[in-house]
């Protein structure tokens, strides 16, 4: 059944790949001799190359941010809500670039890629990559595209952390940083949830110390558990209540261990379908990048000092019911920016949808985001 | 190294066992032909038998609530904070009874017990038991002790739910109900966490469809994951921050998958040590009892109608940072009690310690609890 592509979509899109042969020195001390990044672009780069926007994805995201790969696609890219003609990130005005992160599993070099040294998949030998490493790897893609300064670097959750790190590590390259539903570093509770997810994956006998591909196995149960757990933290208690309440799957209690409540059925479905489209080693890497993110660390633990380097203007957004990265965490970023005498706009959006809100069409959110991006467009568009 | 037993402890205690041969009709439709309950008692039953207190335990609790089993014990019972001479539940005044719940793994009949029909452990054949079933099974213990009415039925978390159910199912048997850090039923989020824990246990290859004992196996990884996850929900984000912050286990980042942050080390330790003292099938049963608890269900979904039956007076307590069963959930109970024109005292305690607070020596908590229990003592003591 072919999709009718809506008029406000970027339409049919095709990913591109760039290969980089210069070794990349990683924060953890190891070196990646070569890597590829898969990415998509939407809109047109203007003649002065000032209207480029970098979208950074979160834990399970990828480079397919908007539009459709074919008329048979059931769903568009993951941020279709915010990217397209007339949308907050307006592709009539901006040239939008989104790579799959290094270490990913959707086409950029990662644990599932062939290790040129062994001819086998990297698996657990793929190095740990950090948010700083992503910034460096993405900077090379920017160079290839001939862009000196992004009009904006934008991301939600782990994507927002990349936007923040870009503004600190490559200050002259970022005109605006849009940091949505993020935090300046993970809390102990955040790390704890990640650790349970990792333990679930690593203790699955089919994980085979990360060499499951060579062994023709998939750590399905572990990855499914990790995703189920993640999913709970993306939703708010309220949104789960609204979505499922205590509805029974079959209308009455069965007093057994099969699915009883709708929420159980939903989580199992989410977990299972994730396994078919995501790589366990990549999931481990992404949670580690989250844990390690702490831009203040290089600056005597002072986020203010770190952000003093930035030359960007900032838009920080948070959602009231987000308990994964609560508004209080966004306000820590805002406070550090103000203390660093930076230009920051903060928007706290009323929403019951938890962390997932940043992906959803919430009118106040889209309006605030659009207003900010219109002012960015006025600065940079020809 | 022998413990010096503090003067305000009940001291050395010895569990007792009562066997019940009359079949118990369970809410799920099955019948338990016979069962045993292990329990401890502290203090003296008065001549009129009016000073009996029933303590109901939570998910991983047991009958060893206070005191020491031997001078070599490193730790006292799990609610030593609240039970003993001069403590809120004052053993100089009250006769305190605490059984291990049916389906438990500390001495009462449960999945690890021998099934008289097969001579093997029940394992997964042990029936699902509910909070209502526990009330019925505990009522028989009360009869054996010759007690007509408990001075109070008291519990925290799942224990508080039992106190609530006692007040509804056997109204004439409960003079006071003390319901601490509980909820009138689980939210979808609560159920979701339980479901992830169950999936972790059930997907462990060493679970063997629940027949791990017969197969000389233990689903260690699954039970460990379940406990790690549970532990996160018992603590608040703040208390984890205070306890661990982002402290590194070895002072510097290692960029690998071994333990990196203190909180990971703590959780792994908690998970591992739990496996040595708890049974996986019991864990599954307890989470199901939590999921199913919904006393309003029998009364046209009206908690007010359910609680209208009660003859008890109520003390409801909650803790501000408890996000597992938040103060809002306790206030639902209080509102239903007020709507039912019942006598209720509500105390919301400031605390950063999350759900675990009900086990901790928080002065405002102990003071409020003590004051209430002194008034109970004045009513019932000789």
């Amino acid at each position: 059944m072919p999709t009718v592509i809506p008029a406000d979509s970027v339409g049919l899109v095709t990913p591109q790949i760039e290969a980089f042969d210069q070794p990349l020195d990683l924060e953890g001390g190891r070196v990646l001799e070569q890597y590829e990044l898969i990415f998509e672009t939407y809109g047109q780069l203007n003649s002065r190359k000032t209207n480029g926007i970098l979208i950074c994805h979160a834990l399970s995201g990828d480079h397919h941010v908007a539009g459709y790969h074919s008329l048979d696609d059931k769903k568009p890219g993951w941020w279709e809500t915010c990217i397209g003609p007339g949308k907050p990130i307006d592709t009539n005005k901006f040239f939008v670039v989104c790579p799959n992160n290094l270490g990913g599993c959707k086409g950029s070099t990662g644990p599932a890629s062939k290790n040129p040294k062994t001819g086998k998949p990297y698996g657990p030998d793929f190095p740990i990559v950090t948010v700083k490493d992503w910034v460096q790897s993405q900077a090379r893609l920017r160079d290839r595209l001939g862009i000196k300064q992004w009009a904006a670097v934008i991301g939600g959750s782990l994507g927002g952390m990349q936007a923040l790190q870009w503004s600190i590590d490559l200050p002259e390259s970022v005109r605006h940083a849009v940091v949505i539903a993020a935090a300046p570093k993970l809390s102990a509770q955040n790390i704890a949830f990640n650790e349970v997810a990792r333990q679930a994956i690593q203790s699955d006998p089919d994980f085979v110390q990360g060499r499951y591909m060579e062994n023709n196995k998939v750590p399905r149960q572990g990855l499914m558990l990790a995703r189920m757990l993640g999913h709970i933290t993306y939703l708010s208690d309220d949104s789960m209540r609204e979505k499922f309440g205590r509805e029974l799957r079959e209308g009455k209690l069965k007093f057994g261990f099969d699915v009883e409540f709708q929420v159980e059925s939903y989580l199992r479905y989410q977990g299972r379908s994730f396994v078919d489209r995501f790589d366990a080693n990549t999931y481990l890497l992404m949670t580690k990048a989250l844990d390690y993110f702490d831009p203040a660390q290089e600056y005597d633990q002072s986020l203010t000092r770190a952000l003093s380097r930035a030359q960007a203007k900032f838009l920080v957004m948070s959602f009231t019911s987000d308990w994964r990265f609560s508004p209080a965490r966004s306000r820590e970023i805002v406070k550090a920016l103000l203390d660093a005498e930076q230009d920051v706009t903060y928007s706290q959006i009323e929403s019951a949808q938890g962390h997932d809100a940043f992906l959803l069409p919430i009118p106040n959110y889209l309006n605030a985001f659009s207003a900010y991006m219109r002012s960015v467009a006025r600065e940079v568009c020809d």
Side-chain angles (χ1 to χ4, degrees), chain A:
Chain A
M1 195 170 51
T3 307
V4 178
I5 293 184
D8 64 353
S9 174
V10 296
L12 285 177
V13 296
T14 308
Q16 306 166 56
I17 289 177
E18 285 284 339
F20 302 89
D21 291 329
Q22 207 191 324
L24 185 73
D25 291 326
L26 302 172
E27 197 185 355
R30 292 174 61 187
V31 177
L32 202 61
E33 297 295 340
Q34 59 199 67
Y35 65 94
E36 293 183 350
L37 291 182
I38 192 168
F39 63 102
E40 291 184 2
T41 72
Y42 324 119
Q44 294 297 319
L45 188 59
N46 62 10
S47 56
R48 292 186 296 131
K49 301 188 174 178
T50 55
N51 69 335
I53 300 253
L54 178 69
I55 307 291
C56 302
H57 69 71
L59 201 151
S60 62
D62 57 31
H63 56 287
H64 184 39
V65 187
Y68 297 79
H69 283 158
S70 84
L71 289 173
D72 296 330
D73 276 5
K74 292 215 175 77
K75 284 199 290 190
W78 57 265
W79 218 6
E80 183 78 2
T81 311
C82 289
I83 299 175
K87 292 181 182 172
I89 302 168
D90 189 343
T91 50
N92 290 332
K93 296 174 180 167
F94 295 112
F95 174 65
V96 178
V97 179
C98 184
N100 181 215
N101 281 0
L102 200 58
C105 56
K106 296 303 174 80
S108 290
T109 301
S113 309
K114 206 198 295 186
N115 181 345
K117 283 187 189 148
T118 65
K120 291 182 190 168
Y122 279 100
D125 300 329
F126 196 86
I128 297 245
V129 285
T130 65
V131 171
K132 282 179 77 72
D133 296 331
W134 286 334
V135 170
Q136 293 307 318
S137 67
Q138 291 160 355
R140 292 190 184 169
L141 176 62
R142 181 207 54 186
D143 292 343
R144 286 279 170 89
L145 298 168
I147 295 169
K148 284 221 169 66
Q149 185 187 55
W150 298 109
V153 180
I154 302 177
S157 193
L158 179 54
M161 296 171 179
Q162 292 164 66
L164 213 53
Q165 193 75 55
W166 259 97
S167 76
I168 297 166
D169 287 358
L170 297 167
E172 68 293 344
S173 302
V174 187
R175 195 175 176 94
H176 292 268
V178 180
V179 179
I180 309 173
K185 62 186 175 191
L186 261 56
S187 69
Q189 189 190 67
N190 296 146
I191 295 173
F193 277 120
N194 281 345
E195 169 65 5
V196 176
R198 284 191 294 265
Q199 288 285 318
I201 291 170
Q202 293 176 318
S203 70
D204 185 325
D206 290 339
F207 181 66
V208 201
Q209 277 85 49
R211 302 202 187 279
Y212 46 89
M213 286 183 88
E214 300 171 46
N215 289 279
N216 293 312
K217 293 189 169 167
V218 176
R220 299 188 69 84
Q221 288 295 342
L223 188 54
M224 175 179 160
L225 282 171
R227 180 61 169 182
M228 288 172 77
L229 179 54
H231 221 88
I232 300 177
T233 69
Y234 305 150
L235 301 176
S236 70
D237 195 10
D238 281 349
S239 65
M240 284 188 125
R241 185 172 301 126
E242 245 170 64
K243 221 166 171 164
F244 312 108
R246 290 172 53 91
E247 290 303 309
L248 296 169
R249 183 97 169 88
E250 293 177 12
K252 63 182 176 60
L253 292 176
K254 290 181 297 180
F255 296 100
F257 287 105
D258 287 340
V259 158
E260 192 88 88
F261 296 97
Q262 289 289 7
V263 65
E264 295 170 302
S265 161
Y266 171 82
L267 279 184
R268 288 192 197 181
Y269 172 80
Q270 289 293 336
R272 283 195 192 120
S273 68
F274 188 65
V275 172
D276 297 326
R277 60 188 168 86
F278 213 81
D279 176 66
N281 281 319
T282 288
Y283 200 89
L284 295 176
L285 285 180
M286 295 285 156
T287 62
K288 272 295 187 183
L290 273 165
D291 287 5
Y292 287 139
F293 178 70
D294 184 5
Q297 208 182 18
E298 286 180 90
Y299 300 91
D300 299 329
Q301 312 298 332
S302 164
L303 186 61
T304 302
R305 278 192 55 197
L307 288 168
S308 297
R309 291 173 51 86
Q311 297 174 24
K313 293 176 182 172
F314 290 82
L315 171 62
V316 177
M317 286 194 273
S318 70
F319 300 90
T320 49
S321 60
D322 183 352
W323 63 279
R324 186 180 174 88
F325 299 132
S326 70
R329 307 308 312 280
S330 281
R331 287 195 299 266
E332 290 175 38
I333 298 171
V334 172
K335 183 177 185 312
L337 283 167
L338 291 173
D339 289 347
E341 299 186 344
Q342 297 287 12
D343 185 324
V344 55
T345 303
Y346 176 56
S347 178
Q348 183 173 307
I349 310 288
E350 274 297 327
S351 151
Q353 282 102 333
H355 188 59
D356 260 3
F358 85 89
L359 299 167
L360 301 175
I362 298 162
N364 283 346
Y365 166 48
L366 299 188
N367 290 342
F369 199 175
S370 290
Y372 191 89
M373 293 310 293
R374 276 195 300 272
S375 76
V376 176
R378 280 193 293 273
E379 288 172 23
V380 300
C381 292
D382 293 326

